[in-house]
Amino acid sequence: MPLETNFFPPAGRAVVIPIYKGTYERSDTLTSDIPNQSIMWRDHVAMWVKDFRRSLDYLSTRPDIDSTRFAYLGFSWGGNMGGIIPAVEPRLKTAVLYVAGLTMERGRPEVDPVNFLPRIKIPVLMLNGKYDFFFPSETGQKPFFTLLGSPPADKRWIMYEGGHDVPRTQAIRESLAWLDRYLGPVR
């Protein structure tokens, strides 16, 4: 399954990219990141959540990592997973989602972001393209943002002219400001 990795690590912050089940050298018979009703899809979503949580478990053992300041950064498929992981991982303090939204295809209820978004209470920044073909603004992005359970003052949705990407300079500026606001400045 291809993963989009065309993102940038926020300057001055450590970024860990988990190698999720079904991706890179852990590839298997899953061939798409588009949700479906199969048990295989459901099981993969559960494994991805476990992979993410295990990454935080490991980071929490390191003396050079401040485990009180974890943030979730998701791009595209990772943005969509940002509708689940922050709902079930209490160690996250904030989330930044690049080109996130709901897909037209639905997963089983137990792994559908629509059922997790109201449970997300941490601050969330969403950066999207107005003409995104994968997460259309009215049917994918807007419902995702509206369903977020974060307090209105702690969630922000910025839409840029463009498609399934966001302008790099503005995204960096917005992301760093967001992370500084909710995690504190880099020490």
Side-chain angles (χ1 to χ4, degrees):
M1 176 176 67
L3 260 186
E4 293 197 37
T5 56
N6 183 23
F7 71 94
F8 46 88
R13 300 198 183 264
V15 174
V16 173
I17 302 173
I19 303 301
Y20 295 104
K21 172 77 172 156
T23 66
Y24 300 105
E25 66 269 13
R26 294 184 67 201
S27 65
D28 57 18
T29 57
L30 187 68
T31 59
S32 174
D33 59 358
I34 297 173
N36 63 57
Q37 294 285 316
S38 72
I39 297 300
M40 183 180 182
W41 177 262
R42 180 204 63 193
D43 290 350
H44 271 78
V45 173
M47 288 183 263
W48 297 330
V49 171
K50 286 179 185 178
D51 288 341
F52 181 84
R53 297 186 85 181
R54 287 178 181 144
S55 297
L56 295 189
D57 291 344
Y58 166 70
L59 291 172
S60 295
T61 69
R62 300 215 10 204
D64 58 327
I65 300 291
D66 183 351
S67 62
T68 66
R69 298 176 4 145
F70 286 140
Y72 180 85
L73 171 66
F75 179 87
S76 187
W77 172 69
N80 180 260
M81 288 300 295
I84 298 175
I85 291 174
V88 298
E89 178 45 69
R91 293 173 285 185
L92 293 173
K93 303 303 181 212
T94 188
V96 177
L97 308 177
Y98 301 110
V99 292
L102 297 173
T103 60
M104 295 302 292
E105 300 81 4
R106 310 289 352 147
R108 298 175 68 85
E110 58 269 33
V111 294
D112 193 328
V114 94
N115 296 316
F116 288 85
L117 285 162
R119 294 178 171 90
I120 296 174
K121 305 299 183 190
I122 62 173
V124 176
L125 173 64
M126 257 178 71
L127 305 170
N128 287 84
K130 185 175 182 178
Y131 308 107
D132 191 334
F133 61 90
F134 202 77
F135 301 121
S137 59
E138 286 300 311
T139 58
Q141 299 170 33
K142 186 176 182 179
F144 188 104
F145 183 78
T146 301
L147 285 169
L148 278 169
S150 306
D154 291 328
K155 64 180 184 178
R156 185 168 181 212
W157 175 29
I158 303 173
M159 196 177 337
Y160 298 95
E161 291 293 321
H164 193 66
D165 204 355
V166 293
R168 185 177 172 89
T169 304
Q170 289 98 319
I172 291 170
R173 181 176 49 246
E174 293 294 341
S175 299
L176 290 178
W178 190 265
L179 294 172
D180 285 348
R181 177 178 175 187
Y182 288 102
L183 298 180
V186 175
R187 295 191 292 257

